[in-house]
Amino acid sequence: MTAELVRGQNHTLPQTRLEIRVSAGSPVVAGATLGDERGVVRGAEWIAHPGSPQLPGLEVSQQAAAGHRLAVDLEALPEAVHRVTVLLALPVGVGGPARFGATAAPFVAVTGLDGTEIATFTLTGLDSESAVTALELYRRQDAWKVRAVGQGYAAGLAEMLADQGLSGAAELAASIQEAVARSLARSVAPPPPRTPEGDRVRQASGPPDPGPAPATPPAATPAQPPTVTSTDTAAAPAPGGPINYAHPRRQHAAPPTPPPTAPPAQPGQAAQPVAGDATGWSMDERLYNQIWGMFEDLARAAAAYRSAVDFAESRMDQELDRSLSDPRNRIGGAGDRAREEARAKRDELTARAREVLDRDLAQLAAEAAVVEPALPAAYAGWDNPVWHAHRIPMELPMALRLGDLHLPERTDLRIPLLVRLPLERGMWVDSGRTASEAAALMDGDRLRRLAMETAVLHAARLLAVYPPGEFSVHVIDPAGSAAGPLAPLVDAGVLAGPPAAGPQGVAAVLAHLTRRVDLVQMAVRAGAADSLPPDLDTGEQLLVVNDFPHGFDDRAVTQLRYLGDEGPAVGVHLLMVADREDASAYGPLLDPLWRSLLRITPVADSHLADPWVGHAWTYEPPVTPPGSRVLEQVLAAVTAARRAAGR
């Protein structure tokens, strides 16, 4: 499985004979340096470049090209070599772009000799840089790994070589550029797009195409957003032509109908964002794809910034170690100057990374400001005016909004958390005070009420986006403690029955839904769906459980677990409002139940892990505007639609 790296991320190499493939939007010079255990390049003889393309275990191209294949045999490298650094630079004096920001983002892949990709890295965020350190292959405890670096240099190849500790870097850089200019071989054109089944398309431009619900969300990972097929899309601009500012990970196959296009940008200004700037069969699908594209853009932008900061800190430590390894520099002013220079370089790199991040975040904020007002009710927040004119749909929407996600780099930039419909798993609103710092500071009764209010908002939204009569809500409230939060649902008459109270009420509701699951499963397995009893409701069912495990005996707990395991496949879903500590007496018996549910919180909490980029996303639960009666209006519309449909 290919590892798609972001800056600073590493991956173990399963073999030692490799190819490093480079794709760029315009011709680039590709080279590599060898470093010792401290990363120091001992001399020009440890550099492979177009003027000297072969070293033991390493061979690079002899010309500038838009596509390169570097051959690496890690076992054939000199014993003193612990690091191989892959370098890219724009050629000088050949009429091409003078900075990476004016061309498509370079893409680098580490592959086996058969072409199977091991790890890939797209060098996004480059602007004024004309040379860049792309990858490092390094030895760690007798194993080789690859690390995505992406460190750019505005002063070009000379600055990059000097940064690796090479004396005479300017002279060597000039000789490399001279060798490139003397080359009579023409530049290689960018490789053609690969087949949709095979791999990345490198020429088309556009937003993301979501796959099945993942790993991420995405994503529970940030609410498990759909996995997005990775493709690079920024095509190289014609000389003197406009630059494509689309994020290099935004891509799609051609849509059946073209998405909206932004008006032409004024010279010197970025293109204005447009709602629905993604592909799809409908505006809802285009907005869905656009939102997940924004999610990915924010994840990668933050990951790149954090990796750049880590790289700057690591580089400062290495420079200090190199400088202070000489005892003569430990006393007097030399040591102080070395520390100041290392810290100044660290601050410069961090500031440049923050500048790139702020630029990306500003673009995303502008896009969010355009997209949010255009969202349909299923995707919109409760403060969106679309709810005031909402009509119950006759078709099920693609997805449902559960809240918002944001990162600490910019807390006001929030991405809607969407899950696909019909639901594939239940939800658990955690009412425990140990769940987060914000919860720990809140009164227990207030927290439980907030948790139930959150569950009611989710249930109301589901009722509002399903066609009339195709979604039913059952409630178990054993002690009747949620009468206040449940009042909007009860008063509107949208529940399948009164909230079940006491052990007998709990048993009756669980028996009813368990019977439905059993009958539908048997009918599906026998291929006899027409034989279901006429009184059986075949629509989707949601069971809201408050104050679990109060009022549940062992049989009821077993039935609840059964609904959690088997219910989603036949349209029965759980919405638990519970403190896991209250059910601790059951021990590991309930662990599968908790794991099967998507955990959300009634207060903001950073608990949604995104293992792909290492972020912990902060989840913001849905709320209605203070004093608003939007919830009552929406539920009244549900009741009216059911009455009109004779349900």
Side-chain angles (χ1 to χ4, degrees):
M1 182 176 178
T2 304
E4 297 184 9
L5 306 180
V6 296
R7 281 184 177 87
Q9 193 174 8
N10 59 49
H11 183 72
T12 302
L13 295 172
Q15 57 202 75
T16 56
R17 299 188 65 188
L18 308 163
E19 275 191 351
I20 298 176
R21 303 185 180 187
V22 179
S23 299
S26 63
V28 297
V29 180
T33 62
L34 306 180
D36 59 18
E37 65 277 3
R38 294 185 299 162
V40 176
V41 180
R42 296 185 177 179
E45 67 277 6
W46 273 26
I47 302 178
H49 56 82
S52 177
Q54 293 184 340
L55 293 177
L58 181 62
E59 183 174 358
V60 303
S61 174
Q62 300 184 49
Q63 65 187 38
H68 290 275
R69 291 190 179 187
L70 286 64
V72 181
D73 186 349
L74 298 174
E75 292 182 346
L77 295 172
E79 186 176 350
V81 173
H82 287 252
R83 183 176 302 176
V84 179
T85 304
V86 178
L87 315 175
L88 303 178
L90 294 171
V92 176
V94 296
R99 58 188 183 88
F100 277 109
T103 185
F107 173 84
V108 184
V110 180
T111 75
L113 298 184
D114 60 353
T116 302
E117 289 185 346
I118 300 170
T120 63
F121 176 42
T122 301
L123 285 78
T124 59
L126 299 177
D127 187 8
S128 61
E129 298 87 346
S130 58
V132 61
T133 300
L135 296 175
E136 287 181 347
L137 311 181
Y138 62 99
R139 196 201 312 259
R140 180 66 54 85
Q141 297 178 349
D142 297 328
W144 283 90
K145 297 185 177 183
V146 57
R147 177 190 291 121
V149 181
Q151 175 62 47
Y153 297 86
L157 192 57
E159 182 186 11
M160 181 165 57
L161 294 175
D163 190 45
Q164 298 198 29
L166 185 70
S167 58
E171 294 79 3
L172 179 59
S175 68
I176 293 174
Q177 295 287 8
E178 183 180 354
V180 172
R182 286 200 309 266
S183 175
L184 299 179
R186 65 180 178 85
S187 296
V188 180
R194 306 183 191 176
T195 62
E197 296 82 4
D199 231 281
R200 297 170 176 75
V201 179
R202 309 222 183 271
Q203 301 291 335
S205 177
D209 185 19
T216 222
T221 60
Q224 296 293 333
T227 301
V228 178
T229 305
S230 258
T231 64
D232 296 306
T233 60
I243 298 170
N244 181 3
Y245 287 98
H247 191 283
R249 289 296 186 188
R250 294 284 192 92
Q251 83 293 332
H252 288 291
T257 57
T261 56
Q266 297 298 321
Q269 296 182 356
Q272 296 300 311
V274 175
D277 186 15
T279 58
W281 294 91
S282 65
M283 177 57 79
D284 286 4
E285 185 176 357
R286 291 199 290 266
L287 287 167
Y288 175 86
N289 291 339
Q290 186 174 14
I291 287 170
W292 286 120
M294 293 165 59
F295 173 88
E296 284 214 325
D297 288 353
L298 179 56
R300 287 193 174 93
Y305 169 71
R306 296 178 187 183
S307 298
V309 172
D310 291 342
F311 176 83
E313 294 287 347
S314 174
R315 173 186 168 136
M316 180 187 70
D317 293 340
Q318 292 177 5
E319 290 180 351
L320 289 175
D321 290 343
R322 270 202 304 267
S323 175
L324 299 180
S325 61
D326 186 349
R328 292 172 296 181
N329 291 338
R330 297 180 186 174
I331 53 178
D336 294 337
R337 285 193 299 273
R339 292 186 186 91
E340 291 175 1
E341 291 173 359
R343 289 168 181 154
K345 186 64 175 178
R346 185 269 316 273
D347 294 342
E348 177 189 355
L349 293 175
T350 302
R352 287 168 57 188
R354 185 71 210 193
E355 181 180 355
V356 172
L357 175 67
D358 289 341
R359 180 195 64 199
D360 293 343
L361 293 182
Q363 292 175 351
L364 281 171
E367 186 173 9
V370 172
V371 169
E372 187 69 38
L375 295 178
Y379 304 175
W382 287 107
D383 57 348
N384 193 311
V386 71
W387 284 109
H388 296 289
H390 178 62
R391 296 294 180 268
I392 307 304
M394 300 308 295
E395 293 184 358
L396 185 66
M398 283 188 61
L400 185 81
R401 185 171 185 160
L402 295 185
D404 295 328
L405 298 175
H406 66 80
L407 291 173
E409 279 75 11
R410 182 162 177 176
T411 57
D412 64 328
L413 176 55
R414 301 188 176 185
I415 307 297
L417 171 59
L418 303 181
V419 294
R420 293 295 292 265
L421 291 178
L423 296 172
E424 297 179 356
R425 61 191 303 198
M427 292 178 282
W428 163 34
V429 184
D430 191 349
S431 60
R433 295 186 64 193
T434 60
S436 66
E437 293 183 7
L441 298 174
M442 189 173 292
D443 175 72
D445 292 338
R446 173 60 179 156
L447 184 63
R448 283 189 290 271
R449 183 180 179 87
L450 275 179
M452 196 60 200
E453 290 174 351
T454 301
V456 167
L457 288 176
H458 290 312
R461 184 182 288 263
L462 284 164
L463 287 166
V465 302
Y466 266 81
E470 294 189 13
F471 193 86
S472 299
V473 177
H474 307 261
V475 175
I476 291 179
D477 184 22
S481 59
L486 286 172
L489 298 177
V490 174
D491 294 344
V494 295
L495 296 179
Q504 291 183 346
V506 171
V509 172
L510 292 176
H512 170 74
L513 293 176
T514 301
R515 173 179 175 269
R516 182 194 181 281
V517 171
D518 290 339
L519 291 175
V520 174
Q521 280 186 338
M522 288 189 291
V524 170
R525 290 168 184 167
D530 295 339
S531 64
L532 287 170
D535 64 334
L536 188 74
D537 183 0
T538 57
E540 299 280 310
Q541 311 285 314
L542 179 71
L543 174 59
V544 181
V545 180
N546 181 47
D547 209 15
F548 177 81
H550 182 79
F552 281 71
D553 55 21
D554 290 345
R555 175 179 173 81
V557 170
T558 301
Q559 288 177 314
L560 191 68
R561 280 194 54 191
Y562 175 72
L563 294 177
D565 293 338
E566 304 294 336
V570 292
V572 177
H573 312 283
L574 295 181
L575 177 51
M576 303 276 292
V577 180
D579 179 359
R580 188 170 180 175
E581 293 296 320
D582 292 342
S584 59
Y586 289 95
L589 178 67
L590 292 178
D591 286 350
L593 174 64
W594 303 121
R595 286 195 298 265
S596 70
L597 303 174
L598 171 62
R599 177 177 172 261
I600 54 180
T601 54
V603 293
D605 185 38
S606 303
H607 71 278
L608 291 177
D610 188 349
W612 193 71
V613 289
H615 296 331
W617 291 84
T618 297
Y619 167 75
E620 291 276 356
V623 293
T624 56
S628 171
R629 295 191 56 81
V630 62
L631 179 60
E632 289 77 6
Q633 293 174 6
V634 168
L635 293 176
V638 172
T639 303
R642 287 183 174 181
R643 188 180 301 116
R647 301 297 180 96

